[in-house]
Amino acid sequence: MQQHYRRLARSATLILAVQLCAEPGRDGTDPVGEVVNTYFTGPDSQILTAGTRTLVLSRARGASPLLAGDLGLLMQVQGATILTRNDARYGQLQDHKLHAEWVRIEQLEGSTLRVRAGGNGGGLIYSYVNQPADAKQGRLRWQLVRVPQYDSLSLQHDLKALPWDGFTGGVLALDVRRKLALNGHQLNVSAAGLRGAPALTLLGALGSPEDWRYASPGADDQKVAYGHHGSKGEGIAGTPVLLLPEEVGYPTGDMARGAPATAGGGGNALDLAHRALASGGGGGNGRAGQDGLPDSGGGKGGAKAPIGLVMGSGGGAAARNRGEGGDGGHGGGVALVRTAGLLGPGSLHLQGGDGVKAVKAGGGGGSGGTLWLDMPPGSLLPVTLNLQGGKGAAGGGAGGAGQRLMSAPQPWPGFDLFSLSGAQGGYQCRPAGHWVSGVVFEDNGGGDPAAAFNGMQDEGERALSGVAFVLLDSKGPKQDVVSGESGGISLRLSEAQSQGQAMSLTVMLPQDRLLAVVPDIQGVKGRRQGRQVSWPLMASPDRHSGPLNLGLLTLPTWQAPPTQRVEAGGKAVVTFRYRATLTGEVQFNSDSKAVSGLLMDRACSGNSERWNSGSSPRWAVKAGEELCVRVPVAVSDQPQSVAVTAMTYPSRAPSGFQLPVQQAETRLTITP
């Protein structure tokens, strides 16, 4: 047993040397209660600058205290700037700082916390701000979530998040080293996100049917029902004063139909006496919320949110002058799952809450929340997902659907790629058995921020599917895998199969792709024989070989025109086409005796840039650019072939690497 733990310690040490980890599996296999996360935030005026490692905490809610070795999620929940003019442009998103990152908890003394993150010197990658609302900016609020680290997890009951209370909550996050089995249960953050607007009974004031924002009634005005319109919902740009009386709410007022960023707008009372009423707009997230009715005064739907860990936003309230109801629905929360595999059946619920009816008007629905999944490439998703927005009531707008995010490309329709930096998942830090993973992509660059030959899949570089790999095991059968639509591969040996035996991972390079540099797998050098590349590996429990980043190059396209009929004794001009797949230079040449020169036609317009005798100089090209080479040919009385070569010299190519010379040939036949 001692040898086993020493082996695990050595494995963890090796992995910590190359990536930031917390302590995977420290929370065992059995969650206690339905709420497994703990939520923290700092003082109202605390700013955490990028690079800092120290946080001061002032509020805590949830299941467990923080300890050294814990995994934390730091996120800016509210932090958007909007236009506040009293016209149709009200609420347009100007900027946001809704960052998030994983951290490892290092030390906690009193209320002072020290973390290790993925930024410079182990500090935070981004800045985070707590700031009350003022006349120009809605409130800003961050929170830190303790994320339990399970070794494996087989649910015996549902799990949920504590609802957002204006300071903390709304997040359900799990880190599972092995597999997560739902066993028919659910992970539920429905209506746990940003809150819907509360409705007030008002009898009228000096507002206008054209208002997009209007001041909220104070405590004294509320006692005599003096005020106008319905309240806006809570969103990424702030919180209405009716939900947080100790602050000032949205800049220039919380009432009326304008939608502040993702939150739904309130219904407008369409006369001075506050009798002609209107319903609230729905909150927005992955999709915009719907407008409330009537068209002339219903609250506007909240806008689509930026891609990221965004809570669903609240619906706007109905304008009303008597009775109860009319509240907007709450938005769905955020759910994050990091696991080596997800087993169904089961369901993930992130719906927005429904608006509430108030006689002839009603509140808008809250938007759906945000789901973020981190699982090995090729993993299945055998669960039911519910991210729809809440229903509007009595003319209230429905909330928009939530966001579906993944940490790496997966063949799952409807998911967006969104990576989170910082401490890695437990399945990456301490994989059970031996796990081999990788991704195959086109490393041709194509402009900022993508760069060719850097061995990383930059934005804009597409994944390559259909590339075949074989894992040969000296003690077991071989495993075959083909890269999927995401370019990912995943091969796994169980703990029982990982007995220190020799293995080799082999890939056969496709005929139409080149490999400039053979990449390593965590320091293991690859061996190349022709178009076959292999890596010698050793099977060990709790070990990950990868990820292998296999960046392949696509050759430029060099195409000759089809056969042409020409008259003998004259001249013909034939056009060759070149499409660059790499940024750099290209040189064309023809040794055909009948070719007197080459005409460069960069725009393929029929106009030539320069005449050269037989060959061109090196022409600068950018990836994706297409150009033409026009070739004048002296025609004899016999059929003849015309060949032109293209030699590409890519920028940033590794030393000694060259693309092959490409030749294209066309044939001229004589008209009888």
Side-chain angles (χ1 to χ4, degrees):
M1 182 64 72
Q2 289 178 343
Q3 290 178 345
H4 172 73
Y5 283 109
R6 282 198 296 270
R7 173 177 54 75
L8 290 181
R10 287 196 301 271
S11 175
T13 301
L14 288 171
I15 295 168
L16 281 167
V18 296
Q19 59 187 358
L20 176 61
C21 298
E23 293 185 11
R26 69 177 302 164
D27 288 277
T29 60
D30 187 19
V32 178
E34 293 182 309
V35 177
V36 296
N37 298 108
T38 312
Y39 312 91
F40 307 85
T41 189
D44 289 350
S45 58
Q46 184 173 115
I47 298 176
L48 308 176
T49 58
T52 189
R53 295 187 60 189
T54 302
L55 295 70
V56 175
L57 304 179
S58 61
R59 291 174 180 260
R61 303 164 64 211
S64 304
L66 280 176
L67 298 172
D70 278 346
L71 176 65
L73 173 70
L74 185 60
M75 59 186 298
Q76 186 81 43
V77 178
Q78 294 174 296
T81 304
I82 59 172
L83 285 178
T84 58
R85 298 174 182 175
N86 193 16
D87 59 30
R89 292 168 291 180
Y90 174 88
Q92 290 181 3
L93 181 65
Q94 300 299 292
D95 190 21
H96 77 87
K97 296 179 174 60
L98 302 175
H99 305 304
E101 60 190 277
W102 300 102
V103 298
R104 172 189 167 95
I105 309 303
E106 296 284 273
Q107 186 178 21
L108 181 62
E109 294 185 359
S111 60
T112 301
L113 175 67
R114 184 173 175 82
V115 301
R116 178 171 292 278
N120 292 334
L124 298 179
I125 301 170
Y126 304 109
S127 296
Y128 299 85
V129 179
N130 276 346
Q131 178 179 298
D134 57 30
K136 295 183 178 180
Q137 169 72 57
R139 75 193 299 258
L140 297 94
R141 177 60 55 178
W142 58 259
Q143 71 168 333
L144 174 71
V145 182
R146 181 190 182 272
V147 181
Q149 302 172 86
Y150 298 110
D151 188 71
S152 61
L153 188 56
S154 182
L155 292 187
Q156 304 303 313
H157 53 74
D158 297 344
L159 299 182
K160 65 180 184 180
L162 287 182
W164 172 256
D165 67 355
F167 296 91
T168 60
V171 175
L172 172 56
L174 304 171
D175 181 271
V176 184
R177 180 186 165 224
R178 289 182 169 88
K179 291 187 177 181
L180 167 58
L182 296 180
N183 293 328
H185 295 288
Q186 60 181 241
L187 307 180
N188 194 337
V189 294
S190 293
L194 299 166
R195 296 165 293 175
L200 287 178
T201 293
L202 300 174
L203 301 178
L206 300 178
S208 163
E210 305 302 320
D211 284 331
W212 294 83
R213 41 87 166 155
Y214 190 77
S216 295
D220 292 338
D221 286 342
Q222 289 184 43
K223 291 178 182 177
V224 295
Y226 183 77
H228 226 103
H229 310 311
S231 173
K232 306 176 189 302
E234 184 176 36
I236 61 173
T239 301
V241 69
L242 296 179
L243 287 173
L244 199 67
E246 57 265 39
E247 294 190 14
V248 298
Y250 288 109
T252 66
D254 297 332
M255 313 298 277
R257 66 186 309 204
T262 54
N268 274 22
L270 302 182
D271 62 357
L272 193 61
H274 209 100
R275 291 185 190 137
L277 308 179
S279 298
N285 188 3
R287 294 184 181 177
Q290 292 181 347
D291 297 345
L293 296 177
D295 294 340
S296 56
K300 302 301 290 184
K304 181 178 179 180
I307 292 178
L309 297 189
V310 178
M311 290 189 189
S313 288
R320 73 177 197 210
N321 63 3
R322 63 186 178 85
E324 299 297 328
D327 296 353
H330 302 328
V334 175
L336 302 94
V337 178
R338 311 173 87 176
T339 179
L342 188 59
L343 303 178
S347 54
L348 279 59
H349 293 270
L350 300 94
Q351 301 102 308
D354 296 340
V356 180
K357 183 179 179 180
V359 191
K360 295 182 179 180
S367 67
T370 295
L371 171 65
W372 185 84
L373 295 175
D374 181 3
M375 297 192 292
S379 298
L380 299 176
L381 196 59
V383 295
T384 301
L385 304 181
N386 298 305
L387 291 94
Q388 65 265 31
K391 298 176 182 178
Q403 298 190 52
R404 303 181 183 201
L405 307 177
M406 56 193 176
S407 66
Q410 301 277 8
W412 300 334
F415 278 74
D416 290 314
L417 173 62
F418 183 76
S419 59
L420 278 175
S421 300
Q424 300 295 305
Y427 79 89
Q428 295 163 311
C429 293
R430 272 186 61 205
H434 196 122
W435 170 40
V436 181
S437 72
V439 63
V440 189
F441 57 92
E442 188 178 63
D443 199 16
N444 283 59
D448 293 336
F453 301 107
N454 66 355
M456 298 185 296
Q457 187 179 11
D458 300 315
E459 183 178 351
E461 291 182 331
R462 62 193 181 101
L464 298 178
S465 61
V467 179
F469 290 77
V470 176
L471 183 66
L472 293 174
D473 182 348
S474 63
K475 288 192 175 183
K478 71 175 184 177
Q479 296 187 48
D480 301 277
V481 67
V482 175
S483 60
E485 294 179 15
S486 67
I489 64 162
S490 181
L491 296 153
R492 187 183 294 274
L493 278 70
S494 69
E495 290 173 284
Q497 292 172 319
S498 304
Q499 300 176 6
Q501 71 271 24
M503 302 187 300
S504 67
L505 178 69
T506 301
V507 60
M508 182 62 70
L509 301 178
Q511 290 293 330
D512 57 344
R513 309 285 180 184
L514 297 178
L515 178 63
V517 176
V518 178
D520 294 351
I521 301 181
Q522 291 183 344
V524 176
K525 301 289 184 182
R527 301 168 182 171
R528 185 170 189 165
Q529 284 186 310
R531 303 201 63 79
Q532 182 175 289
V533 184
S534 60
W535 292 264
L537 304 174
M538 192 71 71
S540 303
D542 298 323
R543 184 69 186 271
H544 174 207
S545 292
L548 167 66
N549 293 308
L550 189 63
L552 303 181
L553 302 172
T554 301
L555 286 170
T557 301
W558 179 228
Q559 185 176 9
T563 298
Q564 294 181 229
R565 285 185 175 272
V566 297
E567 293 185 4
K571 276 191 175 289
V573 178
V574 293
T575 301
F576 290 71
R577 288 181 175 268
Y578 175 89
R579 186 180 184 279
T581 56
L582 290 158
T583 296
E585 296 177 321
V586 60
Q587 185 173 25
F588 303 105
N589 182 66
S590 178
D591 293 329
S592 299
K593 294 180 180 180
V595 174
S596 57
L598 302 177
L599 295 169
M600 174 59 66
D601 181 4
R602 182 175 290 276
C604 293
S605 63
N607 298 318
S608 305
E609 288 190 31
R610 188 177 301 180
W611 179 283
N612 301 102
S613 56
S615 65
S616 74
R618 292 187 182 186
W619 294 85
V621 290
K622 292 184 178 180
E625 183 179 1
E626 187 174 44
L627 51 84
C628 291
V629 178
R630 301 172 66 225
V631 183
V633 181
V635 180
S636 66
D637 58 356
Q638 296 295 323
Q640 59 196 86
S641 296
V642 179
V644 182
T645 60
M647 182 64 191
T648 304
Y649 302 89
S651 302
R652 303 178 183 174
S655 177
F657 174 76
Q658 284 188 325
L659 292 180
V661 177
Q662 295 176 275
Q663 178 171 298
E665 184 174 326
T666 189
R667 185 158 178 81
L668 301 179
T669 61
I670 305 302
T671 302

